Amino acid sequence: MNRLPLGLIILLVVSILVYFGVAQRLLDRMRLSDKGALVIIGALIAGSFIDIPISRGNIQVAVNVGGALVPVGLAVYLLVKAGTSKEWMRALGATIITGLVIYLAGSVLMKGDPGERYNLIDPLYVYPLVGGIVAYLAGRSRRSAFIAATLGVLSLDVVHWLWLVNNKIPGNVYIGGAGAFDSIVIAGLIAVLLAEVIGETRERLQGGPSSVNRDPDVLQNLQAPESVRHEDDASTTKEAGGRGK
Amino acid sequence: MKNKSRLGVLCGCILLMLAGGILYYYENNPRVYNTVAEAGIELNFLDALGKWEGELNDRKYYRFVDETGNMIDQTNHEVFIGDEVILENNNRYKVIRVDSEQYTAVCQLVGQENMAWQEDWGQIPVLSVAENKDKVAVYMTHTDESYVPSDGTESKPGNGGILQVGKKLADTLENRGINTDISWNKHDPHDANAYHRSRKTAVQLLKKNPSALIDVHRDGVPDPNFYKTKVNGKPGTKVRLVVGRQNPHMSANLEFAKKIKSYFDEQSPGLIKGIFMAKGNYNQDLSPRSILIEVGTHTNSRKEAETGVAFFAAGISSLMGAADGAKAPAVSAPAGKTGARSSLLWLLVALVIGGGAFLFITTGSWKGSIEKLSGLGKEFSGNLGPLKGRKKK
């Protein structure tokens, strides 16, 4: 066993606890229960250690369970559960735009050399910023932000695969290969945080969620779940903002 | 009423975007920035995480001069008033005036960075090792980077000269008794998204629990003499250490970089070109012992780079207490603590401020925030939340 200084061990443990703690709270903001969010966190961690090969030969492609299958599965689940077909279209549109913008930002604008002109923010943080903002503008939805950011970043791996094939360069593509710490997962989480902060701030500014010209189903979903209402009637309006979209 | 508030929010958003655009233009354009800075106003809203530079074209480069006019450094990046450089001799300078016609940056001495090698670090390995399990992991994010005099071009996608330099680093470490994992994963094309691809490589390597993680690069400064040096009488290149500023482990990684530099300053002065605290993350959030190295520049020969990196590897193995096959006892390095402590502090401060702000926004008041916090335990007490609610509907 390597022995790191105690300070570094504490730093590592706290970093990991903070990361997964914040992740659990963010997953909880989508259509997931507390337990559901915990199960997803567990699947992210356990899945990080499982790579499923899908193509061998000169260009080897593998999909990581924690870094790709779990977040994509969650994105698909959220899409299926989406209230309206409009939300479907918005989420998918936001995904395509996110994929395009992050490809252009990371591949054309930024070259990744330390000290270059456009390297204002690391690409790792550009992905969720783009995904979150695009999805929010398209559908003002946290779930949509998660879907756009995860699937958008995943498309970068697919582009890399195509690039290797096109240029006949032997190599590996590990889709979601960094597991729970993959850019795919981080992008999804930060995008939800961003949508949450923008959304809550906006709703607070306008004094509650908008109810004019909206689908009755959506309005019904904007209400707090019954279990919460029973427990605490007074907090209904507060919860409506948080649990709704 | 609702329309009015919507209009207000819309106007607010447009104003914000406009202000952001102006700020971006101002902070992005050295002439505008420096003219305003001369009037005594320096704004760095977009850049709270560190100074940044843009590369210059047409082989132009800035000369850094001290107040008496002596040249102290050079760069092919844009220079901004307020930029800081830490030189090889650990002197830290701040840019106080920029002449964009003459490409000259006048600097004022801030002081000397305290990174002297301490005698007792020699007795205990800086990277603690035990039971022959010490490991270093090596990878190359920009696998196309090449050296023009040897490789004929500066970029060979999938097969750059940098792979040989990485191999030399790994082989030398291995020969000196350090188990070294090197990854040959390709991350082309050469762009910023390459870090998204190499992140997977870094995590794969970290699963084997290495003591240090090294990402090998070469620089893009046109002047070959900028990195040229003599290593044991043979022509070689210097090595620049790069620490990404945009991650929670920045302090710990900077501490690590300073220690490497102080070791070489003691053992073989001049090999380390300095420490560049760059914008970006460079996947250094994954480990508090990760470093990016620039081995020479594209106008140096690959042979020179290999000589430089071999010397660097020999030093790293000594830092790990594994030089000449001798295993030092596993003792924690005393100086690793300050960086870790500072990183930890930043992480916790960010958590408290971020979490507090988030609670305030979602509940709308401090009272609500405190209520929500005290109700945290209740949320885990077994209700199925929204799922249950929907089913009943």
Side-chain angles (χ1 to χ4, degrees):
Chain A
M1 223 357 239
N2 282 5
R3 276 183 56 184
L4 287 168
L6 186 64
L8 280 189
I9 293 173
I10 296 173
L11 173 65
L12 281 172
V13 170
V14 173
S15 310
I16 290 169
L17 283 178
V18 167
Y19 178 65
F20 287 117
V22 171
Q24 199 272 346
R25 297 314 299 164
L26 288 172
L27 290 173
D28 186 43
R29 305 306 289 185
M30 296 186 292
R31 192 169 284 181
L32 284 174
S33 62
D34 283 321
K35 274 184 189 162
L38 271 180
V39 168
I40 296 286
I41 296 285
L44 281 176
I45 298 171
S48 299
F49 295 91
I50 308 166
D51 279 310
I52 301 171
I54 54 173
S55 161
R56 296 184 190 278
N58 261 350
I59 299 167
Q60 296 173 5
V61 184
V63 178
N64 186 279
V65 174
L69 289 189
V70 172
V72 168
L74 183 58
V76 170
Y77 168 79
L78 292 173
L79 261 182
V80 169
K81 291 282 170 186
T84 59
S85 56
K86 211 190 232 174
E87 198 175 341
W88 255 88
M89 298 309 290
R90 281 171 172 172
L92 287 180
T95 301
I96 294 166
I97 296 171
T98 302
L100 275 176
V101 174
I102 59 179
Y103 175 77
L104 288 176
S107 292
V108 180
L109 200 60
M110 293 155 77
K111 288 292 168 200
D113 297 314
E116 67 174 2
R117 192 181 189 93
Y118 294 103
N119 200 10
L120 259 177
I121 311 170
D122 196 88
L124 181 66
Y125 310 122
V126 171
Y127 305 148
L129 279 178
V130 173
I133 291 172
V134 168
Y136 193 78
L137 289 179
R140 294 209 294 271
S141 149
R142 297 173 192 92
R143 280 176 281 157
S144 176
F146 182 84
I147 295 164
T150 46
L151 298 185
V153 177
L154 184 109
S155 70
L156 284 183
D157 288 336
V158 178
V159 169
H160 181 220
W161 185 358
L162 295 176
W163 189 88
L164 288 175
V165 172
N166 196 33
N167 290 278
K168 297 188 175 62
I169 292 175
N172 303 297
V173 182
Y174 296 104
I175 300 174
F181 298 104
D182 200 278
S183 325
I184 294 175
V185 180
I186 293 176
L189 294 175
I190 302 183
V192 176
L193 176 70
L194 205 68
E196 175 83 15
V197 169
I198 301 175
E200 289 285 339
T201 310
R202 186 179 146 277
E203 282 182 1
R204 203 144 288 286
L205 279 177
Q206 70 177 25
S210 163
S211 55
V212 183
N213 294 333
R214 294 190 81 169
D215 191 319
D217 270 357
V218 174
L219 284 178
Q220 177 66 38
N221 282 336
L222 276 172
Q223 297 296 316
E226 261 174 64
S227 53
V228 176
R229 274 210 297 271
H230 283 308
E231 264 176 43
D232 188 3
D233 280 335
S235 68
T236 306
T237 42
K238 276 179 214 159
E239 292 291 333
R243 298 271 181 187
K245 276 200 135 193
Chain B
M1 188 61 204
K2 215 138 238 174
N3 280 344
K4 250 187 193 172
S5 69
R6 261 193 200 173
L7 197 70
V9 171
L10 189 72
C11 287
C13 287
I14 292 173
L15 272 177
L16 264 178
M17 280 166 76
L18 203 67
I22 292 170
L23 263 180
Y24 184 81
Y25 180 74
Y26 153 76
E27 285 187 36
N28 193 11
N29 194 319
R31 285 198 183 203
V32 179
Y33 184 89
N34 290 333
T35 311
V36 180
E38 274 168 20
I41 304 165
E42 288 181 53
L43 302 173
N44 283 297
F45 293 120
L46 297 180
D47 192 22
L49 291 163
K51 295 288 170 192
W52 55 286
E53 305 161 26
E55 279 184 20
L56 298 176
N57 301 320
D58 308 330
R59 298 183 180 270
K60 287 188 181 115
Y61 62 92
Y62 268 99
R63 292 162 58 245
F64 289 87
V65 297
D66 63 13
E67 285 172 293
T68 56
N70 294 320
M71 190 172 93
I72 50 173
D73 201 2
Q74 60 182 37
T75 180
N76 68 330
H77 297 140
E78 296 279 10
V79 177
F80 294 81
I81 288 176
D83 275 0
E84 289 189 280
V85 283
I86 301 174
L87 302 182
E88 275 178 55
N89 60 10
N90 294 344
N91 276 346
R92 188 168 182 154
Y93 283 90
K94 188 172 187 170
V95 176
I96 52 168
R97 217 165 41 247
V98 175
D99 183 343
S100 48
E101 305 282 314
Q102 301 294 319
Y103 287 93
T104 306
V106 182
C107 305
Q108 193 178 40
L109 182 66
V110 177
Q112 195 163 39
E113 279 288 299
N114 181 22
M115 46 174 127
W117 179 255
Q118 289 173 21
E119 279 300 308
D120 57 339
W121 293 357
Q123 272 87 58
I124 38 176
V126 166
L127 292 171
S128 305
V129 293
E131 308 282 325
N132 203 23
K133 286 261 180 96
D134 44 324
K135 245 188 226 139
V136 169
V138 177
Y139 69 107
M140 289 71 65
T141 291
H142 287 149
T143 25
D144 70 304
E145 289 183 331
S146 300
Y147 298 85
V148 178
S150 320
D151 302 319
T153 171
E154 59 178 52
S155 170
K156 276 185 177 174
N159 193 24
I162 201 71
L163 299 178
Q164 300 306 314
V165 176
K167 184 175 186 303
K168 188 76 184 176
L169 172 67
D171 287 349
T172 314
L173 283 169
E174 197 74 46
N175 290 338
R176 309 267 303 191
I178 306 286
N179 292 333
T180 309
D181 265 333
I182 182 164
S183 168
W184 301 108
N185 286 354
K186 309 290 194 301
H187 311 113
D188 305 274
H190 185 129
D191 57 21
N193 285 335
Y195 288 95
H196 158 69
R197 299 185 280 271
S198 69
R199 189 174 180 81
K200 302 153 203 301
T201 301
V203 169
Q204 278 175 356
L205 290 167
L206 283 171
K207 279 180 187 166
K208 294 175 189 164
N209 197 17
S211 306
L213 184 65
I214 306 176
D215 185 5
V216 186
H217 290 248
R218 60 115 180 92
D219 206 345
V221 181
D223 180 6
N225 294 320
F226 189 61
Y227 272 97
K228 228 170 221 174
T229 187
K230 288 259 183 207
V231 178
N232 291 337
K234 285 194 286 183
T237 64
K238 298 181 180 191
V239 174
R240 181 180 270 191
L241 310 176
V242 179
V243 175
R245 307 182 71 135
Q246 294 170 349
N247 75 73
H249 289 154
M250 189 253 174
S251 304
N253 281 318
L254 181 61
E255 191 69 27
F256 182 43
K258 281 184 176 176
K259 201 159 298 155
I260 294 175
K261 183 170 187 303
S262 69
Y263 174 82
F264 282 101
D265 286 352
E266 174 79 12
Q267 302 294 322
S268 41
L271 185 79
I272 303 295
K273 183 75 201 161
I275 301 172
F276 181 27
M277 279 164 275
K279 287 194 170 209
N281 169 29
Y282 309 109
N283 291 329
Q284 290 175 5
D285 60 317
L286 292 171
S287 155
R289 285 273 179 74
S290 51
I291 192 87
L292 188 157
I293 61 172
E294 305 251 34
V295 187
T297 183
H298 63 105
T299 48
N300 294 121
S301 77
R302 196 175 73 216
K303 183 85 191 135
E304 288 170 342
E306 284 178 23
T307 307
V309 87
F311 205 59
F312 179 76
I316 291 288
S317 64
S318 300
L319 270 167
M320 296 187 73
D324 309 317
K327 294 286 170 200
V331 188
S332 299
K337 284 178 188 166
T338 50
R341 217 176 272 165
S342 150
S343 283
L344 188 65
L345 199 68
W346 277 113
L347 192 70
L348 293 177
V349 166
L351 181 71
V352 171
I353 293 178
F358 184 72
L359 275 176
F360 186 74
I361 292 172
T362 49
T363 60
S365 69
W366 291 121
K367 196 170 162 243
S369 309
I370 292 163
E371 270 172 17
K372 190 129 189 174
L373 260 188
S374 55
L376 197 65
K378 207 168 63 182
E379 288 210 34
F380 289 93
S381 58
N383 75 72
L384 275 171
L387 271 180
K388 199 173 168 186
R390 240 186 19 262
K391 271 181 196 158
K392 278 188 184 168
K393 185 190 85 175

